[in-house]
Amino acid sequence: MEQKYRRTKEEVKLEFHSILKFINFNMNIIASGERDFYKQLAGNFRILFHNHGKNSKSLFNQLEIDDKIEMVSTCTEFNPNNIMPFNGLCLMRVEHDFACYGPIGIPNSFKTLSFEKWWNQETVINDSGHVKWTRKDLIMNTADKDGGSHVDPSLPMNFHRLVYQNSIGWNFFKSGKGEGKNLENPLSPCLWQIGIELFESLKIFQRFNKI
């Protein structure tokens, strides 16, 4: 078996700050109107957040951040008794002749969650088929299957419906008339908002912890 080199803590920190630069870069491109760059963002988030097996550890884990940090959640509260579709990470912008999703930004008040709850437990989307999605669900499906770091020949049906068939179900009717037009894929503004949450979380964390 080939011998492996173990990175030093300082080398891991350099990789961590490189990934943050990539995330910021991709968020800025999305903000400029290139919405498909959310797929690159998903790949960046996967490196930062996702553990897989014994030998594949996230940068959060390698730097021992994941069990210490409190993550900012801007997601509006999901009510399981509400039968309407729910998208807790986006606002809907409506103009005279178009409508689109946009990120929430950082509101005046927000909650914080443990990393595990923020990443893998909080419902951020509940579509019209009552399929619930966490941040991990959105990021890992995009990164592993839909162009973030790999393109699968087939996609899970519920994910395909969410991204490509508007399973959230909102439509825009120009001047309230005519045939409704599906709103765009919600993942681009959702992942953009996750990036906003990430940087706000790190800003608070770094007041007391050096990374």
Side-chain angles (χ1 to χ4, degrees):
M1 183 180 293
E2 184 179 357
Q3 194 173 11
K4 291 186 177 181
Y5 170 77
R6 186 170 183 83
R7 298 179 195 267
T8 67
K9 193 72 167 279
E10 290 307 311
E11 287 171 333
V12 175
K13 286 182 180 181
L14 286 174
E15 294 297 328
F16 174 78
H17 288 290
S18 290
I19 286 293
L20 293 183
K21 288 179 184 177
F22 297 151
I23 290 171
N24 188 61
F25 177 78
N26 285 319
M27 287 170 64
N28 287 333
I29 293 180
I30 293 170
S32 76
E34 298 290 339
R35 292 295 182 109
D36 283 349
F37 271 77
Y38 78 88
K39 295 186 178 186
Q40 280 67 41
L41 203 52
N44 300 152
F45 288 144
R46 186 190 192 284
I47 294 168
L48 203 60
F49 298 140
H50 180 60
N51 292 312
H52 180 67
K54 188 172 75 171
N55 296 317
S56 180
K57 298 296 183 183
S58 71
L59 286 173
F60 258 36
N61 181 268
Q62 292 180 59
L63 292 173
E64 300 175 339
I65 295 172
D66 53 2
D67 61 350
K68 298 175 184 174
I69 193 168
E70 289 287 313
M71 297 297 294
V72 167
S73 172
T74 57
C75 184
T76 52
E77 200 67 34
F78 170 60
N79 179 358
N81 296 317
N82 189 344
I83 62 171
M84 297 290 287
F86 170 78
N87 185 350
L89 291 176
C90 293
L91 297 173
M92 191 185 298
R93 178 185 173 192
V94 180
E95 301 288 346
H96 173 69
D97 57 352
F98 78 96
C100 65
Y101 295 117
I104 294 171
I106 298 296
N108 291 331
S109 61
F110 51 79
K111 60 181 178 287
T112 59
L113 303 172
S114 69
F115 172 74
E116 177 58 25
K117 186 169 184 180
W118 178 87
W119 172 236
N120 197 28
Q121 295 178 27
E122 185 177 36
T123 297
V124 296
I125 290 177
N126 183 43
D127 67 21
S128 59
H130 305 294
V131 180
K132 297 178 179 61
W133 302 87
T134 65
R135 292 173 180 85
K136 181 180 179 180
D137 294 331
L138 301 180
I139 289 167
M140 296 306 298
N141 275 286
T142 304
D144 286 354
K145 302 176 187 300
D146 198 32
S149 55
H150 191 264
V151 177
D152 276 7
S154 59
L155 291 172
M157 186 58 73
N158 285 332
F159 182 72
H160 182 266
R161 287 174 179 145
L162 177 68
V163 177
Y164 298 105
Q165 295 184 328
N166 187 33
S167 69
I168 290 182
W170 295 115
N171 294 282
F172 175 72
F173 292 82
K174 186 176 179 180
S175 302
K177 300 177 182 178
E179 185 176 344
K181 181 181 178 182
N182 288 349
L183 261 68
E184 63 184 328
N185 172 5
L187 263 66
S188 185
C190 283
L191 267 64
W192 182 2
Q193 181 63 27
I194 289 170
I196 292 171
E197 292 179 331
L198 167 66
F199 283 111
E200 186 68 17
S201 302
L202 289 172
K203 184 173 77 173
I204 295 169
F205 183 74
Q206 287 177 300
R207 291 174 187 169
F208 310 101
N209 303 271
K210 187 176 180 181
I211 305 175

